[in-house]
Amino acid sequence: MAAPLTLLLLVAVTIRAALFRSCLTDLIAERVEVVSPLTAWKRVVEGLALLDLGVSPYSGDVFHETPLIIYLFHFVVDYAEVTFMLADVITAVALYMAVKDYNKQVFRKQKFALEADRYPLDCLELIRSPKEMYYIPLKVAMFYLLNPFTILSCVAKSTCGLNNAVIALFILSTIRGNVLLSAVFLSLSTYQSIYPLTLCAPALLYLMQRQYIPVNFRRASFWWFITEYAFMYLGSLSVIVCLSFFLLGSWDYLPSVYGFILSVPDLTPNIGLFWYFFAEMFEHFRLFFLCVFQINVFFYTIPLSIKLKEHPVFLIFMQLAVISIFKSYPTVGDIALYMSFLPVWSHLHRFLRNIFLVSCVLLACSALFPVLWHLWIYAGSANSNFYYAITLLFNVAQILLVSDYFYAFLRREHHLTYGLYLKRKDGSEATLILK
Amino acid sequence: MGLLSDPNRRRALIGLLTRLNAPICIVCYMAGVAWFMGLSFEPFTLRTYMSENAMGSTMVEERFPAGERALATGREFSAHKKKTGGMPVDWLVKTMQARGLEVFTQRFSRTLPFPDENKERYMVKGTNVYGILRAPRAPRTEALVLTAPCSPGDENNQAVGLLLGLAQYFRNQIYLAKDIIFLINEHDLIGMQAWLEGYHHTNTTGMDWSPLQGRGGSIQAALSLELSSNVVTSLDLVLEGLNGQLPNLDLANLFYAFCQKIGVLCTIQGKLQRNDWDSVSGYSHAVQTMMLMVMKQASGRPWGDHGLFLRYHIEAATIKGVNSFRQDKTDATTIGRLLEGMYRKLNNLLERLHQSYFFYLMPSLSHFVSIGYYMPAFGLLAVILLLRALDLWVQLVTPPPRTEDGDTDIDQQSSPGVLSVLTPLVISHLTGVALYMLPIRFQEMAVEHFPVSETEAVVLTAIAIYTAGLALPHNTNRLLTGEGTEQGWRVLKLVAVLYLAVLLGCTALINFSLGFILALTLVPVAAFVTPHVPKVLSAFVLVILSPACTLLYSVFFFHELQEMPISFQEGWLLYLSVISQGILDHYLYGSLVYPLIAVLVYPCWLLFWNILFWK
């Protein structure tokens, strides 16, 4: 499997290198779908210039990345293109290894269940074979590296690629069962963009499942493990935060990075839901709706964790999707990360219902973004409503996609417990209806 | 959400859509065409009305007296033009300065990618002269533009005269709150492009021009004047700009309102308005007018010197004086008063024109069809593609019957790999890129080896590549992937149909007319083509409905609409010149129609060609 992966990496790097050399780079780096005020390379360059002049990069309202990023680029700014390509490669390899491990576990669990005769007889169709699972890790890497969204994001040098790499490393270390590294990478990704905080729930569930600690609020071992993880997480987080403080010599960055993410002062249009809503709103209600919108991102953790406590990896996928849909400055790079997980759930395809509709809508919206942007900004004949309508549709399609996968996953689990061909009480064929 | 979650209802709906797919598609197509034809029926259209408050409620009084003197200036201009054999720059500078304007000149030069045979120019050098009348009433942050092209020969002298006359008149008025820039541009659109790029500090087309020495505020609106006779019978309004962009409808309303007020006959697309909408001839007159607008818009080229302003967010139109055999004539003083009135109203603007529509079609000057009314016509055509895609998807996901040898079925299902879809996609796009790049690159080589001129070389190379593309893709595909499978073409067709739907949708948003015309011809192709239809007949139909043939019909249809039919021979020559003009428009002004057709629409059509010859 190493050879195809290497080939894939070579192809991906070649495409990126070719695009870096083409005239499209500047065009892509300006697209609001690809870069957000947080991740734009232009702003990083500005921050670096300020840093070189001995001014705090957070003075003024341009730079909003974290101090570690700016110090990273302080050293590697000449190799920025290589860094971003490397970040993509790291993400892909980490996801590859993580999914490979995960598949092994899934298969082992399935074998145990089969041996214990836990599956109903008519469910043999649903059993996954090693043959079909063999190429899944490669497909995951391919979905990430060759996804146009990732390529655009990398060519635009959006720092989103680095965040994705950190999150991928977090997933890898979690799936490998390394508690310390998992906590460290989680704190690093939280430090980068706050929202990955919600990934602590699936990480905890997964690690506990791995160490056979029951999820039971009355057990001491449960609380002990949580304390342990929280300690490591908070410890590394405080180390990183203090390190940033010592690097810069001030706390300027806290309001400028996290305040910027949470209070959404920059309403540049993007593919998210915030900008139009907050541009239209009366100032009076701003705080209230800000809370509502931000709580929205975090809130789904609770019901999803309860429902999916047996399947933490699927929970990670759901959480990543929820974050990338509802976060304050989403870019296509965030979408690429959760979309790379889709091959892992390829066995759910028979239960997906709206995949055709959703993929059509996503495709059409991706093409319509630049068109409506052109009509609004350059031609002046359309207006922001046109663009926002497409944003809204794009997000609805994403939500439908995610909920469709969620439904399919639950339905498969249901069938694995109750049998594939359900009968009504009177013996006729039954259909499952989600209401 | 009931539809999305209830499996029974879904099954019923999908069953209905797949069973009745063909009839629904046919009905949709007919309904789309019928809807479009219905658009020009007067009771279905809206009357134009002024939306802009600043221009609507205020009254202005026109007092321009000096039409005769303007004509005299025009004659003087014409004499100097003849003497210098081009634009009389010195005389213009002197005359404008004498009228109290701040006068500046701009030199520009441009070598065309290949000689323009229509206008007989290759290496263009010229000078723009413009004078700025500073606003006496307000901070000089906004400006209006009045331009007249300095055309070769005896044309447009009256326009320049009237422009200078208006400049002199406006100089003495105290009410102006915006700068007025009087521009006389040489080499029509090339000069205009140079001036606009200079004014806005951009350079999108690689032209050489000297920077502008003087500037007014941001330009709010512009009118271009074309006048070649001392008296006119009617004034024609030209709206279509680059890439089918239109100015805000309020500009057309303004023109119409003043024509009504002053009592000048006004036309659009050269067609007078008729009142007998309920008669057949009245209806067909409206259809003709609207069709002419659709054809002009679809061509994506600027149909007057105003066309390039629109790219810079400046509302602009061209006003053309027409002198026909009609009895009632309008003199220069009246036209001057009309322009004075329009400029005084534009002078009252508080913000850019934005209240009224940007997307519209006009079956007459007093009626318009807005985007909400014409988009369903396109939507009905586009929905056919989605229905076909749904049908294909259902065929693809329904497991094949298991009763007869299950093994082969499973093989068939798994075999349409990424490669069998990717290869035709890549090959047809490479053909498209060749069609876009090669004609210009190879002109010198073609001229060396064949007895043709550069322009002919470019056009004929383009046609040759286009025709060669028909042979290439399906052969290469057969060579690479061997036997094509049943599932293989379905997947390819699904991709092609969705691709076409997205492509046409995006085109129709930017340029409705182009999108609609392409949809009219390409949607039937996309809907019916499979490898199992009779080959020769379908290949013939496919070629007839290909983008190049669509262009050929459009040329004939356009002349039919203008009521000057042409013979096939003339039509063919015109067709060749239209292609060369399209390529030139792209390289000179950045018109997008040529790259769109070459790089996206043609490859998409090739995919369907590929499906037909799927082995």
Side-chain angles (χ1 to χ4, degrees):
Chain A
M1 281 304 275
L5 183 66
T6 323
L7 190 70
L8 174 68
L9 294 179
L10 278 178
V11 171
V13 169
T14 317
I15 293 176
R16 283 162 172 74
L19 276 175
F20 271 128
R21 295 281 163 274
S22 75
C23 54
L24 293 174
T25 326
D26 291 338
L27 188 75
I28 296 171
E30 293 283 313
R31 301 294 322 160
V32 284
E33 297 89 10
V34 182
V35 296
S36 70
L38 273 177
T39 63
W41 177 247
K42 220 161 77 180
R43 292 174 184 251
V44 175
V45 172
E46 173 74 14
L48 281 173
L50 288 176
L51 195 68
D52 286 343
L53 289 173
V55 184
S56 162
Y58 299 101
S59 57
D61 191 37
V62 176
F63 182 69
H64 300 289
E65 259 298 350
T66 51
L68 282 191
I69 289 281
I70 198 162
Y71 273 94
L72 171 74
F73 282 112
H74 191 62
F75 297 111
V76 298
V77 70
D78 295 335
Y79 309 102
E81 296 176 4
V82 181
T83 315
F84 282 104
M85 287 197 269
L86 203 65
D88 274 8
V89 167
I90 290 175
T91 316
V93 173
L95 289 178
Y96 174 86
M97 285 159 51
V99 170
K100 207 168 173 183
D101 264 30
Y102 171 65
N103 271 350
K104 264 184 211 153
Q105 289 163 31
V106 167
F107 190 67
R108 202 183 311 135
K109 240 189 234 164
Q110 185 178 282
K111 210 170 89 188
F112 287 144
L114 270 181
E115 280 166 5
D117 269 343
R118 238 182 288 148
Y119 294 141
L121 279 179
D122 57 353
C123 278
L124 283 178
E125 289 178 41
L126 295 182
I127 304 295
R128 309 178 62 193
S129 68
K131 195 179 144 205
E132 56 140 333
M133 285 162 79
Y134 185 69
Y135 283 109
I136 285 178
L138 191 66
K139 277 187 193 161
V140 169
M142 195 149 88
F143 258 58
Y144 187 74
L145 283 178
L146 299 186
N147 189 337
F149 287 163
T150 326
I151 296 176
L152 287 178
S153 180
C154 179
V155 173
K157 295 194 246 182
S158 156
T159 50
C160 175
L162 301 176
N163 299 354
N164 283 355
V166 174
I167 295 176
L169 286 173
F170 155 73
I171 294 171
L172 175 64
S173 46
T174 312
I175 287 184
R176 285 276 164 98
N178 193 326
V179 184
L180 177 65
L181 275 184
S182 162
V184 169
F185 281 120
L186 183 63
S187 64
L188 203 57
S189 57
T190 317
Y191 166 77
Q192 278 295 329
S193 60
I194 300 188
Y195 295 114
L197 174 65
T198 59
L199 292 176
C200 71
L204 278 171
L205 286 172
Y206 184 88
L207 291 169
M208 282 195 274
Q209 200 180 65
R210 205 178 153 94
Q211 300 182 5
Y212 307 106
I213 300 169
V215 183
N216 189 335
F217 293 105
R218 284 184 215 117
R219 294 287 191 85
S221 60
F222 171 79
W223 290 110
W224 175 242
F225 184 79
I226 286 191
T227 327
E228 209 178 359
Y229 193 83
F231 181 72
M232 283 188 275
Y233 172 74
L234 291 176
S236 47
L237 190 63
S238 59
V239 166
I240 298 169
V241 167
C242 291
L243 181 67
S244 309
F245 169 72
F246 289 124
L247 281 175
L248 278 178
S250 79
W251 292 109
D252 277 355
Y253 74 94
L254 286 181
S256 190
V257 178
Y258 306 112
F260 188 74
I261 294 175
L262 290 176
S263 68
V264 204
D266 191 322
L267 300 179
T268 317
N270 56 30
I271 57 171
L273 299 165
F274 277 66
W275 63 274
Y276 186 86
F277 200 83
F278 284 92
E280 295 288 314
M281 198 180 334
F282 290 119
E283 201 55 31
H284 185 65
F285 299 106
R286 191 181 159 92
L287 185 65
F288 172 70
F289 278 103
L290 207 58
C291 296
V292 172
F293 269 60
Q294 297 287 9
I295 287 170
N296 196 27
V297 191
F298 295 97
F299 180 74
Y300 295 108
T301 315
I302 301 165
L304 284 177
S305 312
I306 293 169
K307 191 71 200 167
L308 292 171
K309 68 177 177 215
E310 302 295 324
H311 311 282
V313 177
F314 190 75
L315 182 57
I316 290 184
F317 163 73
M318 292 295 294
Q319 291 284 32
L320 285 177
V322 166
I323 290 172
S324 85
I325 296 169
F326 293 113
K327 75 191 276 190
S328 47
Y329 303 102
T331 61
V332 289
D334 299 302
I335 296 169
L337 183 64
Y338 84 80
M339 281 199 172
S340 67
F341 273 91
L342 294 184
V344 182
W345 322 117
S346 56
H347 57 286
L348 301 179
H349 277 183
R350 59 180 294 166
F351 298 120
L352 291 179
R353 300 163 307 163
N354 301 322
I355 188 74
F356 176 66
L357 180 75
V358 168
S359 37
C360 285
V361 173
L362 285 178
L363 199 80
C365 287
S366 311
L368 284 174
F369 275 131
V371 169
L372 290 173
W373 182 261
H374 169 86
L375 285 182
W376 173 21
I377 302 296
Y378 295 101
S381 36
N383 53 37
S384 57
N385 300 337
F386 288 55
Y387 191 77
Y388 186 65
I390 290 304
T391 313
L392 211 55
L393 195 60
F394 188 69
N395 282 304
V396 167
Q398 282 192 75
I399 292 168
L400 264 184
L401 178 79
V402 172
S403 54
D404 211 15
Y405 268 96
F406 186 53
Y407 164 83
F409 192 87
L410 292 183
R411 178 144 175 215
R412 181 170 178 273
E413 291 307 315
H414 183 86
H415 282 310
L416 283 179
T417 343
Y418 297 104
L420 187 54
Y421 299 103
L422 300 174
K423 293 270 186 276
R424 286 215 195 113
K425 272 178 193 152
D426 57 1
S428 62
E429 199 175 313
T431 45
L432 284 179
I433 294 178
L434 183 75
K435 281 198 172 156
Chain B
M1 285 307 281
L3 208 59
L4 289 179
S5 56
D6 186 339
N8 296 325
R9 266 188 255 164
R10 277 166 67 94
R11 209 173 299 142
L13 183 70
I14 289 174
L16 190 75
L17 285 181
T18 45
R19 209 151 18 88
L20 295 178
N21 204 286
I24 294 179
C25 286
I26 293 171
V27 167
C28 277
Y29 190 81
M30 311 244 272
V33 175
W35 187 294
F36 183 73
M37 296 309 289
L39 287 179
S40 42
F41 189 51
E42 204 171 298
F44 296 162
T45 58
L46 296 173
R47 263 197 97 77
T48 52
Y49 53 92
M50 191 73 85
S51 303
E52 175 62 58
N53 240 348
M55 294 198 311
S57 54
T58 53
M59 291 303 292
V60 294
E61 195 178 334
E62 308 84 23
R63 294 196 186 131
F64 179 71
E68 283 310 315
R69 206 188 310 161
L71 290 179
T73 322
R75 280 191 288 275
E76 206 177 328
F77 169 74
S78 127
H80 279 89
K81 191 161 81 171
K82 267 195 200 120
K83 209 159 62 184
T84 45
M87 182 132 139
V89 177
D90 294 336
W91 181 83
L92 275 172
V93 170
K94 220 166 63 209
T95 321
M96 281 191 176
Q97 266 164 352
R99 279 158 173 69
L101 307 180
E102 288 178 36
V103 189
F104 306 94
T105 57
Q106 183 203 25
R107 314 180 66 78
F108 60 89
S109 67
R110 168 92 219 219
T111 309
L112 273 52
F114 56 89
D116 183 352
E117 289 190 342
N118 281 21
K119 288 181 177 157
E120 289 168 359
R121 56 189 183 189
Y122 180 51
M123 284 160 76
V124 179
K125 262 201 174 81
T127 314
N128 293 325
V129 180
Y130 65 101
I132 305 175
L133 174 62
R134 298 292 179 189
R137 259 313 251 292
R140 291 138 185 193
T141 52
E142 293 176 336
L144 303 170
V145 174
L146 177 60
T147 83
C150 168
S151 327
D154 241 357
E155 299 205 341
N156 268 338
N157 298 329
Q158 284 81 355
V160 175
L162 192 55
L163 178 134
L164 292 171
L166 276 170
Q168 187 166 27
Y169 174 75
F170 279 138
R171 179 72 179 83
N172 299 322
Q173 306 306 315
I174 46 153
Y175 47 71
L176 290 177
K178 294 179 171 53
D179 296 348
I180 299 189
I181 302 175
F182 296 91
L183 166 68
I184 296 170
N185 57 313
E186 204 178 355
H187 297 300
D188 47 67
L189 283 164
I190 298 183
M192 192 55 87
Q193 168 93 353
W195 190 79
L196 280 168
E197 287 191 349
Y199 199 92
H200 294 102
H201 281 298
T202 55
N203 197 340
T204 47
T205 50
M207 184 190 279
D208 280 332
W209 38 258
S210 60
L212 296 189
Q213 299 299 321
R215 235 183 215 86
S218 84
I219 303 173
Q220 305 291 304
L223 286 180
S224 170
L225 190 60
E226 289 180 20
L227 205 60
S228 301
S229 55
N230 289 344
V231 284
V232 298
T233 46
S234 63
L235 291 174
D236 188 45
L237 183 69
V238 185
L239 297 169
E240 300 85 1
L242 188 72
N243 288 326
Q245 214 179 326
L246 300 170
N248 196 285
L249 188 57
D250 267 344
L251 200 63
N253 296 339
L254 180 66
F255 172 75
Y256 182 63
F258 268 98
C259 284
Q260 297 293 91
K261 183 180 173 194
I262 296 183
V264 184
L265 277 182
C266 52
T267 61
I268 188 161
Q269 321 299 350
K271 306 257 181 204
L272 268 178
Q273 185 174 337
R274 290 170 60 155
N275 292 326
D276 52 341
W277 56 266
D278 44 357
S279 72
V280 176
S281 67
Y283 169 69
S284 80
H285 185 81
V287 170
Q288 270 182 15
T289 315
M290 195 180 74
M291 282 296 188
L292 270 172
M293 179 158 188
V294 167
M295 304 301 279
K296 282 186 179 178
Q297 198 190 13
S299 75
R301 58 182 322 200
W303 285 82
D305 280 1
H306 72 282
L308 297 173
F309 279 96
L310 299 171
R311 174 171 17 185
Y312 298 92
H313 240 290
I314 301 164
E315 309 313 321
T318 295
I319 296 175
K320 265 186 192 162
V322 180
N323 195 10
S324 68
F325 302 113
R326 215 176 258 270
Q327 283 302 317
D328 323 329
K329 304 281 186 189
T330 309
D331 60 349
T333 311
T334 318
I335 303 172
R337 278 172 50 213
L338 179 111
L339 287 170
E340 184 205 349
M342 286 180 73
Y343 271 82
R344 285 195 65 173
K345 283 250 183 171
L346 288 172
N347 183 48
N348 288 340
L349 279 183
L350 296 175
E351 40 190 342
R352 279 171 195 278
L353 286 175
H354 67 280
Q355 302 276 11
S356 194
Y357 295 83
F358 283 96
F359 298 101
Y360 53 87
L361 295 173
M362 299 191 89
S364 72
L365 249 182
S366 62
H367 286 83
F368 73 102
V369 181
S370 77
I371 182 168
Y373 287 81
Y374 68 60
M375 262 306 174
F378 175 80
L380 282 168
L381 294 187
V383 92
I384 296 175
L385 295 176
L386 297 182
L387 282 175
R388 296 308 294 183
L390 182 73
D391 189 34
L392 283 166
W393 173 259
V394 171
Q395 282 175 22
L396 277 172
V397 291
T398 329
R402 281 189 208 177
T403 46
E404 21 160 353
D405 49 299
D407 289 338
T408 51
D409 279 356
I410 288 169
D411 270 350
Q412 277 203 348
Q413 215 177 5
S414 57
S415 62
V418 185
L419 208 63
S420 71
V421 179
L422 211 59
T423 329
L425 262 177
V426 170
I427 291 176
S428 49
H429 277 90
L430 286 181
T431 323
V433 172
L435 180 60
Y436 173 64
M437 310 276 279
L438 294 188
I440 294 288
R441 297 277 164 93
F442 279 6
Q443 50 169 321
E444 282 161 26
M445 211 164 85
V447 170
E448 267 177 35
H449 291 89
F450 300 98
V452 285
S453 71
E454 274 101 341
T455 318
E456 283 168 341
V458 170
V459 175
L460 294 178
T461 320
I463 295 179
I465 294 173
Y466 189 93
T467 324
L470 304 192
L472 185 71
H474 63 274
N475 283 339
T476 327
N477 175 45
R478 211 183 300 165
L479 206 71
L480 275 177
T481 53
E483 285 285 284
T485 56
E486 219 19 40
Q487 300 277 333
W489 73 260
R490 290 219 171 93
V491 175
L492 181 60
K493 186 168 173 188
L494 180 66
V495 171
V497 165
L498 287 179
Y499 182 25
L500 184 65
V502 171
L503 184 61
L504 289 180
C506 292
T507 313
L509 272 175
I510 293 179
N511 184 345
F512 166 77
S513 306
L514 184 62
F516 188 76
I517 290 177
L518 285 175
L520 268 185
T521 53
L522 287 177
V523 165
V525 169
F528 88 87
V529 82
T530 63
H532 307 305
V533 287
K535 283 269 163 11
V536 182
L537 182 68
S538 331
F540 180 67
V541 172
L542 221 65
V543 169
I544 282 201
L545 293 178
S546 83
C549 292
T550 312
L551 181 61
L552 184 63
Y553 311 140
S554 304
V555 170
F556 282 104
F557 187 54
F558 184 66
H559 281 84
E560 201 63 39
L561 283 174
Q562 284 192 319
E563 288 164 4
M564 33 185 182
I566 43 175
S567 71
F568 187 78
Q569 189 66 28
E570 291 168 318
W572 176 252
L573 288 178
L574 210 59
Y575 176 63
L576 297 183
S577 93
V578 163
I579 294 177
S580 76
Q581 291 297 311
I583 298 177
L584 269 181
D585 280 348
H586 171 59
Y587 283 98
L588 288 181
Y589 319 120
S591 149
L592 290 175
V593 176
Y594 172 55
L596 176 82
I597 301 283
V599 182
L600 296 172
V601 177
Y602 171 61
C604 192
W605 178 84
L606 273 183
L607 289 179
F608 293 109
W609 181 258
N610 208 331
I611 291 164
L612 180 65
F613 291 99
W614 191 268
K615 281 278 157 59

